[in-house]
Amino acid sequence: MSQAPIGPKAYHSLPAAAALSELGGDAERGLSPTEAAERLARFGLNRLEETLPEPAWKKFLAQFKDLVVWILIVAAVASGLSEDWPDTLAILAIVLLNGILGFLQEEKAARALAALQNLTAPSAKVLRGGVVAALPATELAPGDVVELEAGDCVPADVRLLRSFALRVQEAALTGESVPVDKDAGATVPADASLGDRATMAYRGTIVAAGKASALVIATGMRTELGRIAGLLQHEKRQPTPLQRRLAGLGKVLVAVCLGIVTVIFALQMLRGGKLGEGFLTSISLAVAAVPEGMPAVVTLALALGLQRMVRRNALIRKLPSVETLGSVTVICSDKTGTLTRNEMTVREVAAGGARYEFSGAGYAPQGTITKAGAAVGDLSVEKDLLETLAIGARCNNARVAPNPKGGGWQVTGDPTEGALLVAARKAGIDAQSGDAARPKVLFEIPFDSDRKRMSVVQRRADGAVALYCKGAPEALLPLCTHERRGGVDAELTEPRRAEIAQANAEMAGRALRVLALAAREGPEKNEHGYEERGLVFAGLAGMLDPPREEVRAAVRLCRKAGIRPVMITGDHPATARAIATELEMLDATSGARVLTGAELDRMSDPELAAASSQTAVFARVTAEHKLRVVRALQAHGQVVAMTGDGVNDAPAVKAADVGIAMGISGTDVTKEASDMVLTDDNFASIVSAIEEGRGIFDDIQKFIHYLLACNAGEVLFMFVASLLGWPAPLLPLQILWINLVTDGLPALALGMEPPERDIMERPPRPVREPVITWRGGALIFVHGLLIAAAALAAFALLRQDDPARLGLARTAAFSVMAFSQLAFAFACRSQKRTLPELGVFTNPHLFAAVAVSGLLQLSALTLPFAQDLFETAAHFAPNEWLLIAGLSLAPVTVVEMAKLIRKAVK
């Protein structure tokens, strides 16, 4: 065995056996786990080197780039020049503390997003110790054997060992715009260029069609893609549209606040105020008025919200989709595995003119086979049934093994194929028993949604070559010329075709998924492989995939939320209608119409757009049809979420407003095209994701409302005081302290508010609705006015026009301004529900944040060194403390009372 892989240019010209020998690989068993671990340690993880992450010290210094911070630093310098050292040190300390808090918030958000990114890391199907398992692609080592199929991203540079109609899209590496044919047995000269190496597949390329097993010959930076990795740059995370809108809002707020602060400064100077004190007060107010922490809180709220979505089996790949989720009006979902359980069971077989029924659920070995209502005693005489089941077992890539947890068999692979294997086993047919007896696969034509069938060519133990085919009856029957009846082949007449079609429609009408099975001895070859024609029809297999129990409730929840669920499936219309009816998807709201792919082909785009609003089920559709349906719904003004799993679904998934890939059955290509991945392939998880998406946007609106209302209160308080000719009611350090104590923890805690109970009873949010609507802006102003009024009342009542009581009045205003904002945070939890309705402790994060911030404010009032620093004089009489408490609770009380009045009026 070689100690290191030879140069990658040599492998394409080596026979597959020589490549295996060179790397010490085993095509049948793969590397052992021990050998794989040793090679991984020797060659390193299979990943490309990225640009080095930004060091922590640079991230920390970046916190001081904002205009607001430089305004504060200028204020500190001005204070130092006037030899007011306590204020200078205090301002610098607040700048430093703000920087530390911002840095910690960003780091937490970055770690959360990185953890989510790790969840989307690509995987590969690897043969290790004789068992095929899905492993992270980073754990591949030279000598590993991997399985490739349509839709997979090639995880490393590989030498093909076996290939079946394999075509690879190499545009990412060679620039070739069309998929390239690959052949494991081709002869390739040693000097062949990269694009002409038919025996190779390279990292980063995509399998467009076919299947293959391949030997890993290079990983990480040793791959062809790794050779040009120096030209690649680590993609910088782009801000979401919401973050861009908020950044723009921040700039507007800065301009507005600077204008107001300038007016306040001018008023103070006109009434004979000191220049230095007026300058510091204005600067402090400007800093306090601008919600500089808003972008960091938004990022963290998004990151924490995404983690909650992961716990509900929805993995967001692209941040902007979080905003779009709240606006979704239509969910287009596949049927199999998403609306149904994906646990197929053969319930009925029609073969040789007879009907056979199978009992026993799922993959349990128990069950009986009946014919005309009576149990079949001797299966050996039922030759047509056995032939049909044998074809289903041979034209099959699934594997059945005893379930280690007990209770029957465990299926690895496609559930439909697993159901056929289990049915064959119930009849005593084991297509997996013994390597010697197992037919050798010579060629395979994989299933795709356009052909609607799959074929396998095998050489049996007796040396005969046969083609076995399964697929949709309407796709397979036209290829058949004969039928197996009574163990002999008879011509397939037109009346008999009509009978088979009738049996297919009758079975599909009972929600059975129907597959036709056929075979041919000695199939004809062509330049691409073998011909699928002149087949002998064997029978129909009807399978049942029951709906998921939780989907019916999810469909009802969609209706309440103003979302229309639509089924898009390749299944028979009757089957689709039966499942849709059981799931309550067909009604006047969603439409009672079922459209087929053939009917879609006869419609123009405007006709389809008009019909889409009355159609709840699209059946027998191809990938191209799915794309047309998405565009038709969008043309009708709908915001569309679309699910997909196969490689052909990628265009429709990408075109949708929210593209959703299946995490279990989905291909790499579809996942790359998607905005969101369902880790359980469950429709109910889509609805959960929409609920969380609405909740995240709701929370962002809540803490923005809180921040802006509190800041508006501070500005209005200082502005009105200046208009009234009062002395500055708050000192610069007091303003900065209020900003620090009230803007940080409570705003962050509001971003962690659980979704409200009625969040899925509201209509979808309009796509172009701003974060702050006109109504929201008016409420912010009113709530800010309430906070300002409470602080103005405290200042006026305790000052009593007595200059000697100015310090006491400032301390009272300082206290009311801080405590009223902290109490107001509870009112921001909901625009409709009061705190008792929500529950005080249903958001423990907010309760803790307010408690900590309140204790910090009390320390600023009571601790001796803090009293000297903030110039507070908290020597209040008991009735004055009661006044401060009452005024602090006044704004939140008014807001909560307004909610009760609105509810009573309605």
Side-chain angles (χ1 to χ4, degrees), residues 198-228:
T199 58
M200 299 286 294
Y202 294 100
R203 178 187 175 120
T205 59
I206 296 168
V207 179
K211 299 180 68 175
S213 63
L215 174 71
V216 174
I217 59 102
T219 59
M221 296 302 289
R222 297 180 182 85
T223 61
E224 291 294 337
L225 192 60
R227 290 171 180 269
I228 57 172

Side-chain angles (χ1 to χ4, degrees), residues 752-754 826 829 835-848 851:
M752 303 168 76
E753 179 75 19
F826 289 105
R829 292 183 59 191
L835 185 59
E837 289 177 297
L838 293 169
V840 178
F841 300 106
T842 48
N843 184 350
H845 305 288
L846 181 60
F847 187 83

Side-chain angles (χ1 to χ4, degrees), residues 59-245:
K59 291 181 182 178
F60 179 68
L61 290 180
Q63 304 300 317
F64 304 98
K65 290 180 179 178
D66 289 342
L67 174 64
V68 172
V69 174
W70 282 105
I71 291 173
L72 270 178
I73 292 173
V74 168
V77 171
S79 184
L81 291 174
S82 61
E83 298 186 356
D84 188 354
W85 302 116
D87 277 8
T88 302
L89 293 175
I91 292 172
L92 291 176
I94 287 174
V95 168
L96 183 63
L97 190 55
N98 261 321
I100 292 171
L101 289 176
F103 171 74
L104 292 176
Q105 283 183 346
E106 285 192 13
E107 279 296 288
K108 186 173 182 179
R111 284 196 300 271
L113 291 172
L116 293 172
Q117 250 187 346
N118 290 337
L119 290 175
T120 63
S123 61
K125 294 181 283 292
V126 190
L127 181 64
R128 290 268 176 91
V131 177
V132 176
L135 297 177
T138 54
E139 296 181 12
L140 289 180
D144 265 323
V145 174
V146 296
E147 301 289 332
L148 300 174
E149 59 184 21
D152 286 349
C153 255
V154 180
D157 286 2
V158 296
R159 184 6 171 132
L160 302 177
L161 302 176
R162 289 185 293 271
S163 62
F164 303 104
L166 187 69
R167 304 182 76 205
V168 178
Q169 176 60 264
E170 295 185 330
L173 192 64
T174 66
E176 180 65 46
S177 58
V178 296
V180 178
D181 291 327
K182 298 289 183 177
D183 183 1
T187 301
V188 180
D191 60 352
S193 64
L194 202 64
D196 294 328
R197 299 174 187 174
T199 58
M200 299 286 294
Y202 294 100
R203 178 187 175 120
T205 59
I206 296 168
V207 179
K211 299 180 68 175
S213 63
L215 174 71
V216 174
I217 59 102
T219 59
M221 296 302 289
R222 297 180 182 85
T223 61
E224 291 294 337
L225 192 60
R227 290 171 180 269
I228 57 172
L231 302 177
L232 303 177
Q233 293 295 323
H234 182 56
E235 183 180 357
K236 186 177 180 181
R237 186 179 300 280
Q238 296 298 316
T240 71
L242 171 63
Q243 289 169 322
R244 286 195 291 269
R245 289 202 301 273

